[in-house]
Amino acid sequence: MTATEEVNERQARQVAEQAREAQWRQPSFGKELFLGRLRLDLVHPYPRGPVEATERGEAFLSRLREFCESHIDTTVIERDAQIPDKVIQGLKELGAFGMKIGTEYDGLGLSQVYYNKALTLVGSVHPALGALLSAHQSIGVPQPVAMFGTAEQKRTWLPRCTRQISAFLLTEPDVGSDPARLHATATPDGDDYVLNGVKLWTTNGVIADLVVVMAQVPASEGHRGGITAFVIEADTPGIVVTNRNAFMGLRGIENGLTKLTDVRVPAANRIGREGDGLRIALSTLNVGRLSLPAVCTGTAKWCLKIAREWSTERVQWGRPIGEHDAVAGKVAFIAATAYGIESMVELAGELADAGRTDIRIEAALAKLYGSEMAWLIADELVQIRGGRGFETAESLAARGERGVPAEQILRDMRINRIFEGSTEIMHLMLAREAVDAHLSVAGDIIDPEADLKHKAKAAAQAGKFYARWLPTLVTGKGQLPTSFTEFGPLAEHLRYVERASRKLARSTFYAMSRWQGKLEHKQRFLGRIVDIGAELFAMTAACVRAQRDESDPATAAAAVDLADAFCRQARVRAERLFGELWDNSDDSDRALTRGVLAGRYTWLEDGIIDPSIEGPWIAQEGGDVTDDVHRVIR
Ligand SMILES: Cc1cc2nc3c(=O)[nH]c(=O)nc-3n(C[C@H](O)[C@H](O)[C@H](O)COP(=O)(O)OP(=O)(O)OC[C@H]3O[C@@H](n4cnc5c(N)ncnc54)[C@H](O)[C@@H]3O)c2cc1C
């Protein structure tokens, strides 16, 4: 497909499907969960990293904490919408840009668990700091080079990445969730490629030294073509940042619009083969997706601290507000959910470090769940703070009160539900994995393009598979009151997870049989399936973590309390979702939306003024340079 060809839905799906890692070389807790099998043996006993990794991680965390406490004033970041140069320099000197880079390349070589903890820490200070470090390390140059680079590429770039900043350039004005439409081109020319295109919302792009660019190589003789990844020096002639974008939150993020005009790049800068770009991006995200929920964990913990302090301090109607039932419910939600998100991120991190399982589903569930829940938590904090929740920290401080940035954290958390895979796209991606077992046996039955012979073969195959698999979903350990007893009071929750996992798989099977190929269009149904899976994974993570902590007298009872509370809340949500699978307004909503889009109800929009500034919805060329927006930090 050439860059300029129009892309229909089927082609878009094909591109996503080709980039998807189809193989499962290692067992996956998440995949099994969606198939109705609670494989507790994959996560329990709780995996633990080597002592040396813990010591190294703790030593770095204390240096990082000391730096954040003494050198970072978040009100300056909010006021100037910029992270001060000296903060960026200080982070570089600490080695924070090379946390995940191996020591053989001058990095800190931290484990995934400690990388996550570091992001939790800096993210709690200001989420823009989390974005700065994670855009560089989780999606920027280091991770794809470490995973897919040649020995030479690793030697060239990884040591630089410990002290320089990189960015990841995929999105374009017309290319968001659907990379099949990618317009940027990389045309082979001798030993080089010549890149042209416009890249939007490049986090760190304004201050980057190196960038990873995704561009389409046209297929030609000797060139396989396709979306391809390149590492490029940000000061290469032809690269211009034409705008520094500003957002509702994450003030301080150095996010740009980058134009590439005849940018000449040596073939040695290509990562992987031509056409491997999306696969590289997705594989990088397999673990990279944990960064964002790690930042969300920091927010959840901070919200808990403020909710606790304020709900005790603030007295209304004769009592501290935390003693009023409505507020108490919010505090309980924040506390339990902070525990749930942290447990998910921690467990997925430990699994990533242990390297014995495939964690792509767990990391994606943590991203989806962490971002949705952190948003709800921040919203509840604003509510608990009342009018002060809506007031800026600066204004509160100016009139002599503690400057609590609750409104800022709500603004900062909003983007997490959109970038690195929006909630809707995460639902689709995870649903794809959840129904993968069905598709791999029954795929041709529901494929509208498969011929009758293939359909018949698929039907026979599927019949055999379901004859074996369905009976396993009828009964299980979760029905035995004596199962999981080593978990004490949490055993009943794991029994629930086991039962619910089978029910989830049965529901998916019913849906497949009922809607067949049309299931993929039932996005809200699939979204609920995935959300139930996320609750079940979070419950499991909370239980195994609390059980691990039982040996620690300082937290033992309290951990069980939190895990128990989290599981009770999660079960209520999961049951609601199970009910909504079959009892919902999806069909009538679809009909209503058709009417809305056809303009049947425009009269409802009367009586307002639209304050939007005139302009096209999408500016393909991204506008001209209006200012010198390229900020250099070296
Ligand atoms: C602050 C910020 C930082 C960013 N950083 C980077 C970066 O560093 N590098 C980079 O390359 N990009 C970056 N992005 C881009 C980001 O990843 C995209 O915004 C995101 O992928 C969504 O794309 P879009 O905004 O074009 O939305 P669209 O794809 O246009 O989607 C609009 C809405 O439709 C939904 N939708 C789209 N397709 C489907 C579908 N098939 N089914 C159901 N719903 C669908 C989406 O979920 C969304 O709700 C950043 C964006 C922002 C705002």
Side-chain angles (χ1 to χ4, degrees):
M1 191 186 312
T2 68
T4 47
E5 259 178 337
E6 267 314 300
V7 177
N8 65 29
E9 191 182 348
R10 185 161 187 84
Q11 289 165 320
R13 269 206 316 276
Q14 268 168 3
V15 169
E17 194 59 27
Q18 278 157 13
R20 175 178 168 264
E21 212 177 312
Q23 298 298 320
W24 294 87
R25 292 185 188 88
Q26 292 175 306
S28 154
F29 176 84
K31 185 172 165 59
E32 295 289 329
L33 193 68
F34 283 107
L35 281 174
R37 295 189 286 246
L38 173 61
R39 286 284 308 276
L40 208 57
D41 61 305
L42 295 177
V43 296
H44 176 73
Y46 202 89
R48 271 179 203 268
V51 177
E52 185 272 326
T54 307
E55 285 171 358
R56 188 191 313 192
E58 289 294 337
F60 175 69
L61 279 187
S62 70
R63 290 200 300 278
L64 186 63
R65 172 179 286 277
E66 201 275 319
F67 174 79
C68 290
E69 283 174 345
S70 56
H71 288 83
I72 303 181
D73 179 351
T74 54
T75 56
V76 172
I77 300 178
E78 280 300 296
R79 189 195 60 211
D80 300 348
Q82 211 164 63
I83 299 170
D85 287 2
K86 68 178 177 41
V87 171
I88 296 181
Q89 292 296 2
L91 288 170
K92 282 183 180 175
E93 281 157 27
L94 272 176
F97 285 86
M99 289 187 276
K100 278 286 296 294
I101 298 174
T103 47
E104 67 276 31
Y105 298 109
D106 304 337
L108 297 182
L110 294 190
S111 63
Q112 184 67 38
V113 168
Y114 277 94
Y115 173 63
N116 291 345
K117 281 182 193 283
L119 291 178
T120 298
L121 186 75
V122 294
S124 69
V125 180
H126 197 296
L129 295 166
L132 167 75
L133 295 178
S134 75
H136 165 63
Q137 289 173 86
S138 297
I139 56 175
V141 174
Q143 196 66 6
V145 167
M147 288 174 74
F148 296 96
T150 61
E152 178 62 26
Q153 288 175 330
K154 288 179 193 171
R155 271 196 303 276
T156 308
W157 289 314
L158 292 182
R160 279 183 62 186
C161 286
T162 61
R163 48 183 198 280
Q164 293 194 324
I165 300 172
S166 68
F168 172 75
L169 281 56
L170 169 68
T171 305
E172 299 176 4
D174 202 21
V175 183
S177 311
D178 170 14
R181 303 169 66 93
L182 203 85
H183 286 292
T185 53
T187 311
D189 184 19
D191 288 340
D192 298 339
Y193 289 86
V194 177
L195 273 73
N196 282 286
V198 176
K199 293 291 179 180
L200 182 58
W201 296 321
T202 62
T203 300
N204 290 351
V206 180
I207 55 172
D209 303 281
L210 288 168
V211 291
V212 181
V213 178
M214 295 289 166
Q216 288 269 13
V217 176
S220 61
E221 208 187 321
H223 290 275
R224 185 170 165 241
I227 298 175
T228 306
F230 298 90
V231 174
I232 310 180
E233 303 284 343
D235 60 3
T236 307
I239 299 188
V240 183
V241 177
T242 63
N243 195 50
R244 184 177 186 269
N245 306 314
F247 304 99
M248 84 186 263
L250 288 190
R251 285 169 70 76
I253 192 175
E254 295 289 348
N255 184 289
L257 188 143
T258 306
K259 271 191 183 182
L260 301 114
T261 313
D262 295 333
V263 179
R264 188 163 280 278
V265 182
N269 288 29
R270 194 186 67 219
I271 318 180
R273 294 173 312 165
E274 287 179 2
D276 280 352
L278 281 186
R279 198 175 57 81
I280 289 173
L282 285 182
S283 303
T284 303
L285 276 176
N286 280 350
V287 173
R289 280 221 167 85
L290 287 175
S291 308
L292 219 139
V295 172
C296 292
T297 302
T299 292
K301 282 164 162 284
W302 177 79
C303 289
L304 173 61
K305 178 175 186 290
I306 300 297
R308 171 180 58 78
E309 291 172 353
W310 177 246
S311 301
T312 324
E313 175 68 28
R314 177 69 168 168
V315 175
Q316 290 289 283
W317 302 75
R319 291 171 179 204
I321 56 167
E323 290 181 18
H324 293 298
D325 190 45
V327 177
K330 297 180 196 307
V331 176
F333 168 72
I334 294 174
T337 312
Y339 188 77
I341 304 176
E342 186 175 49
S343 304
M344 250 176 156
V345 173
E346 207 179 284
L347 177 60
E350 292 283 11
L351 291 173
D353 286 334
R356 286 190 295 273
T357 57
D358 186 321
I359 67 143
R360 81 185 95 144
I361 290 189
E362 291 87 316
L365 287 173
K367 191 278 169 187
L368 168 73
Y369 194 79
S371 59
E372 287 293 326
M373 287 303 188
W375 164 250
L376 295 178
I377 286 175
D379 187 43
E380 292 294 35
L381 180 71
V382 167
Q383 194 69 16
I384 291 174
R385 287 277 291 156
R388 287 171 178 81
F390 192 63
E391 189 171 0
T392 65
E394 198 181 11
S395 171
L396 286 160
R399 58 183 187 76
E401 290 196 4
R402 188 167 154 187
V404 178
E407 60 79 37
Q408 178 213 316
I409 217 67
L410 184 68
R411 289 188 283 103
D412 289 345
M413 283 301 105
R414 188 61 185 82
I415 184 60
N416 294 329
R417 299 171 59 210
I418 297 172
F419 64 10
E420 284 188 28
S422 68
T423 287
E424 294 74 21
I425 297 300
M426 297 307 290
H427 275 154
L428 294 187
M429 187 201 119
L430 281 157
R432 172 70 185 83
E433 302 301 350
V435 297
D436 179 50
H438 303 269
L439 289 178
S440 56
V441 287
D444 280 348
I445 309 178
I446 60 174
D447 184 349
E449 286 181 13
D451 60 29
L452 278 177
K453 199 171 125 213
H454 281 100
K455 278 184 197 287
K457 194 170 157 217
Q461 245 180 352
K464 270 195 230 151
F465 170 77
Y466 289 122
R468 263 199 328 272
W469 180 66
L470 278 174
T472 67
L473 300 182
V474 180
T475 55
K477 254 177 112 178
Q479 282 155 310
L480 299 175
T482 51
S483 59
F484 305 111
T485 44
E486 73 268 34
F487 288 87
L490 301 177
E492 61 159 308
H493 300 309
L494 286 171
R495 289 199 283 271
Y496 174 83
V497 174
E498 198 279 335
R499 292 193 304 274
S501 152
R502 281 185 285 114
K503 186 172 171 183
L504 189 63
R506 287 198 303 269
S507 307
T508 312
F509 170 71
Y510 296 145
M512 279 282 292
S513 333
R514 179 170 164 186
W515 291 309
Q516 302 198 0
K518 295 197 185 93
L519 178 60
E520 69 172 304
H521 299 297
K522 307 276 181 193
Q523 292 189 343
R524 283 196 286 172
F525 178 93
L526 292 172
R528 292 179 193 111
I529 291 280
V530 169
D531 287 343
I532 295 170
E535 295 288 359
L536 300 184
F537 173 49
M539 286 175 70
T540 311
C543 290
V544 293
R545 175 182 173 200
Q547 212 252 4
R548 175 201 67 181
D549 292 344
E550 253 192 344
S551 54
D552 180 350
T555 54
V560 170
D561 288 350
L562 283 170
D564 181 55
F566 175 72
C567 289
R568 285 175 196 283
Q569 294 175 14
R571 284 169 71 162
V572 171
R573 288 189 293 266
E575 283 303 300
R576 196 184 53 235
L577 287 163
F578 269 125
E580 286 172 4
L581 283 178
W582 310 108
D583 182 10
N584 55 55
S585 60
D586 294 0
D587 288 341
S588 58
D589 289 349
R590 262 189 291 275
L592 179 71
T593 300
R594 275 197 296 275
V596 170
L597 300 186
R600 195 175 308 148
Y601 314 111
T602 47
W603 49 266
L604 190 58
E605 298 158 15
D606 286 350
I608 55 150
I609 294 168
D610 176 358
S612 312
I613 302 165
E614 280 299 307
W617 286 99
I618 296 165
Q620 294 288 2
E621 294 306 318
D624 298 322
V625 190
T626 49
D627 205 351
D628 181 14
V629 286
H630 201 279
R631 183 180 160 214
V632 180
I633 298 175
R634 294 211 202 279

